[in-house]
Amino acid sequence: MKAAVIGGGISGLATAYQIKEMSKAAGLDVHVTVFEKENRTGGTISTVEENGYLLETGPNGFLDSKKSTLELITHLGAGAALEKSNRSSARRYIYNGKKLMMLPDKPQKFLTSPIMTLSGKLRVMLEPFIAAKKSDDDESVASFVLRRIGRQALDNLVGPMVSGIYAGDPERLSLKSAFPRMYGLEREYGSLIKAMMKLRRGGAPPGTLTSFKSGMGSLIDALTGALGESVKTDAGINLVEKSGRGWKINHGSTYEEFDAVVTAVPAYVLGRILPEAAEECAEIYYPPLTVVHLGYKNSVIAGKTDGFGFLTTKASGTKVLGAIFSTNIFINRAPEGYSLVTVMTGGANFPENAMMEHDKLLSTVCEGIEKITGIKGAPDFWKIFPHEKAIPNYQVGHPDTVKKLENKMEKMGGIFPAGNAFYGVGINDATMKSMETAARVAAYLKGVK
Ligand SMILES: Cc1cc2nc3c(=O)[nH]c(=O)nc-3n(C[C@H](O)[C@H](O)[C@H](O)COP(=O)(O)OP(=O)(O)OC[C@H]3O[C@@H](n4cnc5c(N)ncnc54)[C@H](O)[C@@H]3O)c2cc1C
């Protein structure tokens, strides 16, 4: 039997790997092929080495609080190359247009934090007395936060957090899909604060950021290596069509037949190659985001880059969405005597910032960094990685969109959606979903055998 996985990002690679493992365990003889459009696998994940710097084009790591990625890495035999973020990089900051303010890492510190005024804090503390929403309808992240903890919490805390994860706009993002945990806590406990107290989670961090000594590209190398000849690069798929009980896939001038197909491409691609999915895929918005790496002499930035990094509020007036102090977090990210600052610009609120011509972008970002951190002058090294369509933003109603698409695909039979367009944007979401999708594919193939 033959299974095709379209898209060689982390979602596609992990799913293909799990299909191989699960079908072997079930005694099924399944030949899996991954079709990747580019000349390399990894999609958004890629590590570039240049001038002694180790640069991530996309993600800097994953949290170790969910086990799926760690288990996959252990299975691949790549665990020894892992690297946990430095503990001293735990401090995180918010920039509000005037100054950098440390995010409270414990509930007690919230009371004395400058992050909100007294009235903003009192509004947050009213949260346990606010009745839970009765209807189960989806709502925006902004609507949820305003209902439960008020305007200042939205502007000063949740807004920047939404920028950090989705480069998104809380007014448009779906609560149920983008923050399912927050949605679930209100349903289960009636209040976020009551839930925190019951779960004794307080302000504890949700895990440790984890990467590899040689960067996140190591995860892709390990998976691609394990899949061997199953991976075809420079193999962009143009069309996926039903053919008898199976599927016909067109790449270049060839057609190939498969018993089952997993689609792990961005929504704007899926809508094109599988026209039946076009309507649902059009609902998913991808804002542009650009990553700008800046390398400075240690003497230039001494005392100016404390902790993990910072995020900015929408009203701060800066064109910098946030920055991480990469050399505080992981070793080997810069040559001896230098430090690396990784800046993000653009996103759903300021898409035009990501699309600036590179000279202008660089000077704008450096100006922003100088204003926020006090780092003066041009960096010794820079590298720009634009993502024209960066991270899928799940709009209000996303759960219904996904359900509709799943129903359609289920009726067609033998075709399974995967990828960050539908099931979470984190690397952990991709590795977790890969097991579920692979199990469904193996069960389907067993049925058609
Ligand atoms: C700047 C940035 C920072 C991020 N930081 C983090 C982070 O720190 N931690 C975290 O957990 N997540 C982070 N993310 C999110 C995470 O990286 C992504 O959600 C995840 O890597 C997406 O994986 P994917 O396989 O679903 O999609 P993709 O990586 O988009 O893979 C899709 C693949 O499909 C291929 N493709 C496209 N068209 C075709 C076609 N016609 N035929 C065949 N193949 C095709 C593409 O070339 C690509 O390889 C970040 C994202 C960005 C952009």
Side-chain angles (χ1 to χ4, degrees), residues 266-284:
Y268 53 88
V269 175
L270 180 59
R272 219 170 47 225
I273 65 175
L274 182 72
E276 293 90 334
E279 192 188 327
E280 290 77 20
C281 288
E283 298 289 318
I284 299 158

Side-chain angles (χ1 to χ4, degrees), residues 127-290:
E127 198 267 349
F129 305 102
I130 293 168
K133 184 161 158 273
K134 290 212 169 61
S135 95
D136 188 32
D137 299 342
D138 196 12
E139 66 182 317
S140 71
V141 173
S143 143
F144 173 84
V145 174
L146 285 173
R147 243 184 345 94
R148 297 229 57 92
I149 48 180
R151 167 61 61 185
Q152 280 194 31
L154 175 64
D155 293 344
N156 299 0
L157 282 173
V158 178
M161 188 174 96
V162 164
S163 283
I165 303 172
Y166 288 93
D169 174 2
E171 302 283 350
R172 288 193 273 169
L173 276 182
S174 151
L175 175 74
K176 279 188 183 179
S177 298
F179 291 99
R181 176 94 178 126
M182 283 214 270
Y183 163 77
L185 289 178
E186 185 189 38
R187 306 283 316 162
E188 197 175 336
Y189 296 92
S191 143
L192 301 177
I193 292 181
K194 281 185 198 161
M196 264 165 56
M197 283 160 62
K198 285 222 171 87
L199 299 171
R200 294 184 193 278
R201 271 283 315 278
T208 303
L209 187 72
T210 304
S211 177
F212 292 82
K213 292 173 187 119
S214 302
M216 286 303 294
S218 300
L219 173 57
I220 299 305
D221 293 345
L223 266 171
T224 308
L227 285 164
E229 287 179 3
S230 294
V231 177
K232 283 190 184 173
T233 49
D234 287 317
I237 299 302
N238 304 317
L239 198 61
V240 183
E241 288 173 289
K242 191 83 187 143
S243 169
R245 289 183 71 186
W247 289 87
K248 192 166 69 176
I249 282 184
N250 166 238
H251 58 103
S253 54
T254 40
Y255 281 91
E256 250 183 275
E257 302 262 349
F258 290 88
D259 300 292
V261 173
V262 175
T263 60
V265 287
Y268 53 88
V269 175
L270 180 59
R272 219 170 47 225
I273 65 175
L274 182 72
E276 293 90 334
E279 192 188 327
E280 290 77 20
C281 288
E283 298 289 318
I284 299 158
Y285 166 58
Y286 287 71
L289 178 71
T290 293

Side-chain angles (χ1 to χ4, degrees), residues 6-12 35-38 40-45 57-63 165 209 235-238 264-266 269 272-273 289 291 344 387 390-392 418-421 424-428 430:
I6 307 175
I10 181 68
S11 299
F35 292 95
E36 166 53 49
K37 179 178 74 129
E38 302 296 332
R40 61 157 192 92
T41 49
T44 310
I45 304 177
T57 66
N60 290 283
F62 59 94
L63 292 171
I165 303 172
L209 187 72
I237 299 302
N238 304 317
V265 287
V269 175
R272 219 170 47 225
I273 65 175
L289 178 71
V291 177
M344 259 66 71
H387 298 269
I391 301 174
N420 69 351
V425 302
I427 291 166
N428 283 332

